[in-house]
Amino acid sequence: MTDRCMRLSELGGVDTLTVGGKAANLHRLVSAGFPVPDGIVVPVDEYDAFMRSTGLRDAVAELLEGARAGQLSDLSRRIRGMISSAAADEGLSGAILEELSRAGPDALWAVRSSAVSEDLEDASFAGQLDSYLNVPTADVPHMVKRCWASYWNERAIAYRDDSRVDHLRHGIAVVVQRMVDARSSGILFTVDPVRGRSDRVLIEASWGLGEAIASGLVTPDRFECDRRSGEVVSRAINDKAKQVLLRPGGSAVSEVREEDRMVPSVSDAELRLLVDIGARIEKHFGGPQDIEWAIEGDRVFILQS
């Protein structure tokens, strides 16, 4: 850990005002022993320092004061343009690259926004900001700045307005995590989101990276499992003709072998393991969870909860 960025495993005693909701939750998972990919956090202080040192905080405050209703698109475009064109902090860029160099030259990263507003009790901000996948190490500092700019997306500004969240009071951290070279991936709901049954765990899965499910490229396999035993109560195996695989320099869509298209993308043993992990995460956080997971080789990784 440098004085400019922190490792996910070393955030003890750091609150959400420093690292944002997403990073804080990931650290709680790491601290509890759950299998989370290695990564670092660029804290909110670095965003604040960038905005102040470049004069952007005062400039943004002036724009916000003069903004009129219905002008969100122009306001967002102007602020994001100002952030994008401002000179990067070379010291921060060097610190990020130094930390990530431990993973080797071919590592790829997920760069994701972790806004303080994501963890406020009166505003659920998750999903409003940008994430970037399959980022080579050399490009991570640039993508960190793009995450900062996404704090000023039109939808994010509107959401803060609707939630009465001060635009300048809460900032944004950025999480950088190693991309998992997933053989299978998906989503786990510790409570059935349709029927609300707490005795059932719902798991969606497909081959390769979760991008295939998120983008609608495939209809995932769907498993309903008994919470106590982990046994499959019902299953729907779908024709998974495509998959997204991790490749040097990024990801690529590829064809699934004909003989694998209708094969379950996770085994019953893996489903039982996922049900067990999901139940433990729910207990740890004290409430129902939506969990993104991936399997690399024979290891299950938790990407987000």
Side-chain angles (χ1 to χ4, degrees):
M1 181 171 71
T2 72
D3 59 352
R4 306 295 299 272
C5 49
M6 314 170 183
R7 301 204 74 80
L8 272 176
S9 58
E10 300 175 3
L11 299 184
V14 176
D15 60 22
T16 58
L17 294 179
T18 301
V19 298
K22 186 181 281 97
N25 281 344
L26 286 169
H27 173 66
R28 289 175 67 185
L29 288 169
V30 172
S31 298
F34 292 105
V36 174
D38 295 335
I40 65 171
V41 181
V42 180
V44 174
D45 286 350
E46 291 295 338
Y47 166 78
D48 289 339
F50 169 80
M51 294 294 286
R52 292 181 186 278
S53 67
T54 56
L56 287 176
R57 192 182 193 282
D58 290 340
V60 169
E62 186 175 339
L63 285 174
L64 289 171
E65 186 175 344
R68 298 178 183 176
Q71 292 184 327
L72 283 186
S73 179
D74 181 62
L75 178 66
S76 171
R77 180 184 55 79
R78 293 178 67 182
I79 295 175
R80 287 185 289 112
M82 291 161 59
I83 293 175
S84 298
S85 61
D89 183 324
E90 295 301 328
L92 175 61
S93 297
I96 292 171
L97 295 176
E98 178 183 342
E99 285 291 327
L100 300 186
S101 65
R102 305 182 188 185
D106 298 326
L108 295 172
W109 305 92
V111 184
R112 299 189 290 163
S113 303
S114 179
V116 173
S117 309
E118 287 179 310
D119 204 49
L120 296 178
E121 292 182 1
D122 55 352
S124 178
F125 201 65
Q128 299 298 316
L129 307 181
D130 291 346
S131 297
Y132 302 95
L133 304 178
N134 312 311
V135 180
T137 300
D139 294 340
V140 169
H142 174 66
M143 291 304 181
V144 167
K145 201 163 74 156
R146 288 187 65 176
C147 282
W148 288 347
S150 78
Y151 185 75
W152 298 99
N153 283 341
E154 183 177 352
R155 63 184 181 273
I157 297 174
Y159 197 89
R160 286 195 295 272
D161 280 342
D162 291 343
S163 302
R164 301 184 182 278
V165 174
D166 189 328
H167 295 290
L168 295 174
R169 181 183 176 189
H170 301 290
I172 178 174
V174 179
V175 178
V176 183
Q177 283 182 284
R178 182 184 71 83
M179 286 290 300
V180 174
D181 190 4
R183 178 252 297 165
S184 301
S185 57
I187 304 170
L188 181 151
F189 301 91
T190 61
V191 172
D192 186 323
V194 176
R195 294 175 294 170
R197 291 187 59 169
S198 59
D199 62 334
R200 294 287 186 262
V201 174
L202 189 64
I203 298 174
E204 295 183 345
S206 192
W207 299 121
L209 301 175
E211 291 175 64
I213 298 175
S215 66
L217 184 67
V218 299
T219 299
D221 296 334
R222 187 179 179 94
F223 305 90
E224 185 180 346
C225 301
D226 180 82
R227 171 186 287 269
R228 290 189 175 182
S229 67
E231 296 301 314
V232 179
V233 176
S234 68
R235 70 182 77 215
I237 307 304
N238 291 301
D239 187 352
K240 304 171 292 296
K242 305 281 187 181
Q243 61 186 335
V244 180
L245 299 177
L246 200 61
R247 292 288 183 257
S251 61
V253 176
S254 68
E255 300 284 337
V256 174
R257 293 188 309 172
E258 183 72 30
E259 59 267 33
D260 292 334
R261 287 170 54 166
M262 293 298 295
V263 172
S265 47
V266 281
S267 68
D268 283 10
E270 289 166 341
L271 289 167
R272 286 192 293 271
L273 177 59
L274 285 167
V275 170
D276 176 69
I277 291 174
R280 289 189 286 120
I281 291 177
E282 181 182 82
K283 182 178 180 181
H284 182 68
F285 282 119
Q289 299 289 303
D290 300 349
I291 300 167
E292 296 178 22
W293 56 269
I295 299 175
E296 181 181 74
D298 59 357
R299 292 190 63 192
V300 173
F301 286 93
I302 302 303
L303 309 181
Q304 187 169 322
S305 183

